[in-house]
């Protein structure tokens, strides 16, 4: 059985993230990377979109959640996005990383990664 890994790379969005006074009123850039694994045997053999995991639907849900949300912690935002990635019963594994560029003065970004596996 073929297993496919979908990679969503550098999805750049803006949201309210943080708990400092200026972070509560000003949106900030975030960068999302996700890996989503599912058994792709049927999609590979049939070439039918109905047999594949629809990454566009997953990405649209992530975008809406981020753009409509207010988050204090990277942990909460990343956890929510991981839940969206794992929502389909087809998904066997997902890993989501959220970066907060310029969160630290001398660093390019700060990121947090969470993963989940379905037994």
């Amino acid at each position: 059985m073929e297993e496919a890994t979908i990679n969503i790379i550098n999805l750049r969005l803006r949201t309210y993230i943080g708990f400092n006074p200026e972070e509560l009123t000003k949106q900030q850039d975030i960068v999302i990377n996700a890996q989503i694994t599912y058994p792709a045997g049927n999609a590979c053999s049939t070439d039918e979109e109905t047999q594949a995991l629809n990454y566009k639907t997953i990405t649209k849900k992530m975008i809406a959640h981020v753009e409509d949300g207010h988050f204090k912690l990277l942990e909460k935002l990343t956890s929510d996005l991981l839940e969206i990635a794992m929502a389909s019963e087809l998904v066997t594994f997902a890993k989501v990383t959220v970066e907060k560029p310029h969160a630290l003065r001398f660093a390019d970004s700060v990121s947090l990664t969470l993963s989940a596996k379905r037994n």
Side-chain angles (χ1 to χ4, degrees):
M1 170 171 54
E2 290 107 341
E3 207 167 68
T5 299
I6 295 168
N7 292 291
I8 299 167
I9 301 168
N10 295 335
L11 179 61
R12 290 176 172 83
L13 302 173
R14 292 183 63 73
T15 193
Y16 295 96
I17 180 83
F19 48 84
N20 293 322
E22 66 275 5
E23 294 174 317
L24 297 173
T25 58
K26 185 177 130 189
Q27 286 190 323
Q28 298 180 64
D29 295 329
I30 62 162
V31 181
I32 299 165
N33 285 279
Q35 289 182 334
I36 304 167
T37 303
Y38 78 102
N42 289 342
C44 291
S45 63
T46 65
D47 197 28
E48 291 293 327
E49 68 273 6
T50 58
Q51 300 300 309
L53 186 66
N54 190 332
Y55 56 83
K56 190 172 183 178
T57 301
I58 294 169
T59 304
K60 282 184 174 184
K61 287 178 183 175
M62 287 181 171
I63 291 168
H65 186 74
V66 168
E67 290 183 341
D68 295 341
H70 285 73
F71 310 93
K72 290 182 185 174
L73 300 175
L74 274 174
E75 287 84 348
K76 174 62 174 153
L77 173 55
T78 307
S79 176
D80 289 354
L81 295 175
L82 182 61
E83 190 175 308
I84 291 168
M86 290 292 295
S88 170
E89 291 295 321
L90 284 176
V91 175
T92 57
F93 173 81
K95 180 167 81 169
V96 175
T97 300
V98 178
E99 285 184 55
K100 190 175 170 184
H102 314 295
L104 293 175
R105 186 173 178 194
F106 297 111
D108 291 338
S109 68
V110 171
S111 68
L112 182 98
T113 302
L114 293 173
S115 61
K117 189 176 205 174
R118 191 179 319 278
N119 295 330

